[in-house]
Amino acid sequence: MATRLQTREMMASNQFSRRQFAGLAAASALGLSAPSAASGQTDRSRKSEPKRRARSTFPKGFLWGTATSSYQVEGAVNEDGRGPSIWDRFAHTPGTISDRSTGDTASDHFHRYKEDVQLMKALGTKAYRFSIAWPRVFPEGTGSPNPKGLDFYNRLVDELLANGIAPFATLYHWDLPQALQDRFGGWTSRDTSKAFADYSAYVAARLSDRVKHFFTINECSRFVHLGHGIGADAPGLKLPQAELNQVRHHVALGHGMAVRAIRASARAGTKVGPAENAVSCIPAIETPANIRAAEMAMRELNAGYLTVILEGKYPDTYLAGKDAPKFTAEDLRIISSPLDFVGLNVYTPDHYVIAAENERGFTLAPFPASFPHMKATWLRPGPETMYWVPRHVAKVWNVKSIYITENGTSGSDQPAADGTIYDVDRIMYLRNYLAQLQRATSEGVPVSGYFLWSLMDNFEWGDGFEQRFGLYHVDFETQRRSPKLSASFYRETIARNAVA
Ligand code: PNW
């Protein structure tokens, strides 16, 4: 434990409040007692390397934030009139969640949001990406709104703004009202696209006096595939390919309809875009031919979402064969409604690409069994993904404004003997990814901000509480939050506006 003297020094460093310090497990071990960015000692050491530092900073005003989503952190699933979502139903179905947990309580953010805003503030973040639970606002999906549901987000937004943190709201992070699944078959019907637009308009009309940035849909790629293709996520469907492509079309349409609905209902100047986990295509070796091949692969492998959103048409290859979605020309115009930015969730390299003289123009290297992974086996570290994905999106589709809407990793996060979680694996991952993001911004790739996934440990979908992505550890018995060592790393990075 920290000595009294250390604790006083730490508080003098002005990074964490007294109340947070009371809650810190082994605060001294977190490096919080080390010279802070504001202290003279760090300044002196900076003088010895001024040139390197000048080149390695992020752009002035770069926005540093953290991210969460409603079902993963809120809990309070039966409070204030919230209706059930497809994730309540799914998580309560035996055999779906590895540790048999649910999001019923999750990180109890619904009740602890004030404390959580202080955690954000202690990091020095100036933005928070959260999602709005559709079934809180419309318990039946459509029809009568539940004003008490939106009140939670009013309170959260006010608390964020009072603490100098800009709210970035995601409208759909997978918790579809169960009523829409029951009534229309959820995203298998375009009635859900329309319902999503109506809900988005309602929320934007009421929050856009304070929320200036909205993300429509989080990670179409994942919930279409896992939720509707292989049944590993809610609603647990295993649809044949043609129906799956139709679901993807309805999701893209829902995105476009929501963009238009938000523009019609929100205050002038409200900005809107998607938050997508693009299929990431990395040149296996950075030659001009491989880079071109990786760009072609990006277009082809993101055909059903980013490509159609940003080009207004599906590539011919996507439409060839019997599984093509059915759509109208008007659908495509709606889907490609102009955006203010593109949000990108960046975790892992999906494909290493090599130029080839075949029809596609590329081949994809298979992953060798010895390729490393983080605690989650799907999460292979490939820091250059953080350079190539925003660069491809800016170049291939001429996108002028990008946010990294998620990036982070799970870790084993075992406390050491002194109680501290020395998550140097997470720090290794973040340091390398952020260095590549800095490489991108220094070359003029237009990334304006970065949201680290996640502020705190939370309900990781089918992995329950077995995969922890937080900068803050959450004890799910007591709901106590304690910073991991990576919280200090992120705070230091933000303070320097450069990778710590
Ligand atoms: C994202 N992949 O999911 C989601 O947006 C979050 O809700 C989630 O908690 C977070 O990342 C961590 O998993 C992903 O297989 C899941 O590449 C899987 C992949 C990517 C993102």
Side-chain angles (χ1 to χ4, degrees):
M1 286 299 287
T3 64
R4 243 169 230 282
L5 180 65
Q6 280 172 324
T7 307
R8 216 174 310 124
E9 279 170 3
M10 289 185 278
M11 290 182 55
S13 81
N14 196 21
Q15 301 295 336
F16 285 77
S17 73
R18 186 180 297 272
R19 202 161 132 257
Q20 277 144 2
F21 266 109
L24 292 189
S28 68
L30 293 175
L32 298 173
S33 56
S36 78
S39 78
Q41 206 170 330
T42 306
D43 285 346
R44 266 201 300 285
S45 62
R46 276 180 188 173
K47 275 186 196 142
S48 63
E49 44 172 352
K51 286 215 181 88
R52 194 190 67 79
R53 189 162 297 285
R55 277 202 306 274
S56 63
T57 55
F58 285 86
K60 202 161 169 281
F62 190 80
L63 196 61
W64 295 101
T66 56
T68 64
S69 87
S70 46
Y71 188 69
Q72 294 181 271
V73 299
E74 284 178 3
V77 291
N78 293 316
E79 272 178 62
D80 288 349
R82 177 187 179 277
S85 82
I86 57 172
W87 265 97
D88 297 289
R89 173 73 61 87
F90 187 75
H92 279 273
T93 304
T96 54
I97 311 298
S98 60
D99 61 358
R100 299 195 174 86
S101 61
T102 70
D104 285 2
T105 309
S107 317
D108 198 31
H109 184 58
F110 187 83
H111 297 114
R112 294 168 196 264
Y113 69 95
K114 286 193 177 174
E115 178 187 346
D116 294 337
V117 170
Q118 292 310 308
L119 303 181
M120 299 170 205
K121 203 173 174 185
L123 297 170
T125 54
K126 291 280 183 280
Y128 176 51
R129 174 174 178 248
F130 60 97
S131 83
I132 292 169
W134 183 350
R136 280 197 197 284
V137 184
F138 288 94
E140 297 290 318
T142 57
S144 307
N146 164 38
K148 279 186 137 186
L150 197 67
D151 276 353
F152 169 64
Y153 301 103
N154 276 315
R155 293 195 294 278
L156 173 62
V157 163
D158 290 345
E159 187 71 15
L160 289 164
L161 291 172
N163 285 279
I165 298 170
F168 281 63
T170 306
L171 289 156
Y172 187 74
H173 203 124
W174 311 349
D175 42 1
L176 186 78
Q178 180 66 41
L180 296 185
Q181 197 67 43
D182 296 343
R183 259 179 24 241
F184 311 141
W187 292 105
T188 63
S189 162
R190 54 197 289 147
D191 290 339
T192 294
S193 320
K194 171 74 170 63
F196 177 62
D198 293 344
Y199 145 73
S200 299
Y202 178 87
V203 170
R206 283 154 189 83
L207 292 184
S208 62
D209 58 334
R210 289 154 293 151
V211 177
K212 302 300 175 193
H213 298 80
F214 287 92
F215 300 105
T216 52
I217 290 175
N218 181 72
E219 287 196 9
C220 163
S221 55
R222 161 140 175 188
F223 82 87
V224 170
H225 178 61
L226 269 73
H228 300 78
I230 62 172
D233 278 1
L237 301 178
K238 293 180 187 166
L239 300 175
Q241 194 60 45
E243 287 175 50
L244 199 59
N245 290 346
Q246 199 62 42
V247 165
R248 192 176 299 105
H249 177 71
H250 295 152
V251 173
L253 183 63
H255 155 83
M257 290 172 85
V259 170
R260 291 191 172 188
I262 292 165
R263 298 230 188 278
S265 73
R267 301 245 173 151
T270 304
K271 293 190 154 69
V272 56
E276 182 57 355
N277 181 14
V279 176
S280 58
C281 302
I282 317 302
I285 304 160
E286 294 186 9
T287 63
N290 286 345
I291 293 170
R292 229 176 306 114
E295 290 165 359
M296 292 192 301
M298 277 299 281
R299 278 193 70 227
E300 183 179 318
L301 299 178
N302 291 287
Y305 203 62
L306 278 190
T307 303
V308 70
I309 286 176
L310 294 166
E311 298 185 19
K313 56 183 193 312
Y314 290 114
D316 294 341
T317 45
Y318 187 71
L319 297 180
K322 60 177 178 31
D323 294 333
K326 296 186 180 53
F327 59 91
T328 67
E330 176 62 6
D331 286 357
L332 296 184
R333 279 192 290 277
I334 294 170
I335 289 172
S336 58
S337 300
L339 303 173
D340 298 299
F341 53 77
V342 170
L344 296 169
N345 294 359
V346 177
Y347 285 95
T348 194
D350 292 311
H351 298 290
Y352 285 102
V353 181
I354 304 134
E357 297 196 3
N358 57 22
E359 237 176 77
R360 292 171 111 184
F362 59 85
T363 49
L364 305 175
F367 276 89
S370 59
F371 201 102
H373 62 77
M374 305 301 292
K375 160 112 169 148
T377 49
W378 61 265
L379 218 179
R380 298 172 169 131
E384 65 282 3
T385 314
M386 187 56 96
Y387 171 77
W388 286 105
V389 171
R391 176 178 145 153
H392 287 330
V393 168
K395 173 142 183 258
V396 172
W397 292 299
N398 197 25
V399 168
K400 301 287 186 215
S401 175
I402 292 171
Y403 289 98
I404 302 302
T405 33
E406 289 180 25
N407 171 241
T409 185
S410 57
S412 36
D413 290 357
Q414 288 302 322
D418 65 3
T420 304
I421 292 172
Y422 295 100
D423 54 341
V424 290
D425 52 347
R426 183 173 287 104
I427 293 175
M428 177 280 292
Y429 175 98
L430 293 172
R431 178 185 288 128
N432 282 286
Y433 275 67
L434 286 171
Q436 292 287 326
L437 182 59
Q438 196 278 330
R439 175 187 174 203
T441 56
S442 72
E443 291 180 13
V445 178
V447 180
S448 327
Y450 169 92
F451 296 86
L452 197 152
W453 185 275
S454 179
L455 173 68
M456 58 191 162
D457 294 340
N458 56 50
F459 178 76
E460 176 59 16
W461 309 114
D463 290 325
F465 298 111
E466 288 176 342
Q467 297 286 344
R468 293 170 172 270
F469 278 78
L471 292 174
Y472 287 90
H473 176 267
V474 175
D475 177 333
F476 290 104
E477 297 293 316
T478 62
Q479 292 294 342
R480 183 164 182 251
R481 282 91 160 111
S482 351
K484 304 174 192 174
L485 188 63
S486 56
S488 296
F489 165 80
Y490 195 41
R491 192 203 62 212
E492 186 65 25
T493 294
I494 293 171
R496 294 183 194 178
N497 202 34
V499 182

